[in-house]
Amino acid sequence: MKHIFRKENLSKPTFLLFHGTGGDEKDLLALAHFIQPEYNVLSVRGEVNENGMNRFFRRISEGVFDEVDLVYRTHQLKEFIDQASIDYGFDKNHVIALGYSNGANIAGSLLFHYSNVFEKAILLHPMVPIRKELPDLSGVSIFIGAGKNDPICPPEESIELNELLLSAHADVTLHWENNGHRISESELNAVKQWLKNKSA
């Protein structure tokens, strides 16, 4: 699995970055540095190719996920994270997901399948990845960045995801913007402040 690992301080948490459709492992490096430059970074490239675009799992059509492939890729990524923590020496109990769009969806799927995969998760413009019973997410803090006018991820998806995560006892912050599907500066500033508050 193609990836980048940047060691800053192994006693600090590690960001796990998941790019959006058509991106790669370099896309979110600057965002992670802006949010918290002292954290280690593990950034992964999605292994699915859709018309030349990198993705983390297949989809049947816009907004319709191939759930069999999604589940397979989710388990594959969990194995990768576990092995990477051994290879690079970071603490897998202090991993913070940072995902955008398709990357937020695969990060969400990991949360839906594993109770202890992330200490925190920053999901920027995610959809509900799969509708299933969630594990107990007590102690997990999650930031959802959503767009009131997002044409790809409707507000209803963000609201439902928020409710599902809350029902699994996660600590969820749902933050709204009016910038469509793109990541805005104000959204990143909100993420930065949220992480600072949750790490205090």
Side-chain angles (χ1 to χ4, degrees):
M1 194 169 285
K2 291 186 177 179
H3 64 278
I4 293 171
F5 182 73
R6 289 188 175 174
K7 182 176 76 170
E8 296 297 335
N9 184 340
L10 292 177
S11 68
K12 299 278 189 178
T14 297
F15 280 125
L16 181 54
L17 310 186
F18 300 104
H19 61 76
T21 298
D24 62 26
E25 66 275 21
K26 299 176 184 176
D27 276 21
L28 301 182
L29 293 175
L31 271 64
H33 185 80
F34 172 79
I35 295 166
Q36 178 46 274
E38 295 180 0
Y39 289 0
N40 311 296
V41 173
L42 176 62
S43 187
V44 187
R45 180 188 296 188
E47 293 193 318
V48 171
N49 185 304
E50 183 185 274
N51 301 318
M53 299 184 295
N54 298 316
R55 282 178 57 84
F56 286 98
F57 57 89
R58 297 189 186 100
R59 57 184 170 183
I60 297 167
S61 60
E62 183 76 50
V64 181
F65 303 157
D66 181 335
E67 290 191 0
V68 173
D69 190 62
L70 171 61
V71 171
Y72 168 74
R73 304 286 177 180
T74 299
H75 295 320
Q76 183 184 48
L77 267 168
K78 178 61 165 63
E79 291 177 1
F80 169 78
I81 296 165
D82 290 344
Q83 186 59 49
S85 71
I86 296 169
D87 293 343
Y88 295 114
F90 64 84
D91 187 345
K92 69 177 182 179
N93 295 313
H94 295 291
V95 172
I96 302 171
L98 171 56
Y100 166 60
S101 193
N102 176 243
N105 293 335
I106 194 68
S109 183
L110 281 157
L111 287 166
F112 273 50
H113 286 86
Y114 300 99
S115 62
N116 60 349
V117 64
F118 301 130
E119 177 184 38
K120 300 179 181 71
I122 300 160
L123 309 178
L124 303 179
H125 304 269
M127 296 177 69
V128 177
I130 191 169
R131 284 165 176 86
K132 66 180 289 294
E133 185 177 351
L134 276 69
D136 183 1
L137 295 175
S138 299
V140 180
S141 296
I142 301 169
F143 179 100
I144 300 175
K148 293 180 179 179
N149 57 345
D150 190 330
I152 295 175
C153 176
E156 295 77 19
E157 285 279 331
S158 302
I159 292 168
E160 183 182 356
L161 180 61
N162 178 60
E163 291 173 349
L164 288 169
L165 292 169
L166 285 172
S167 72
H169 312 296
D171 171 20
V172 189
T173 298
L174 178 56
H175 175 83
W176 293 100
E177 293 280 345
N178 286 291
N179 295 290
H181 196 62
R182 73 181 185 87
I183 302 171
S184 65
E185 184 177 351
S186 58
E187 190 170 15
L188 288 180
N189 283 324
V191 170
K192 188 172 185 175
Q193 186 61 49
W194 171 85
L195 184 60
K196 182 178 179 181
N197 293 342
K198 295 299 178 184
S199 303

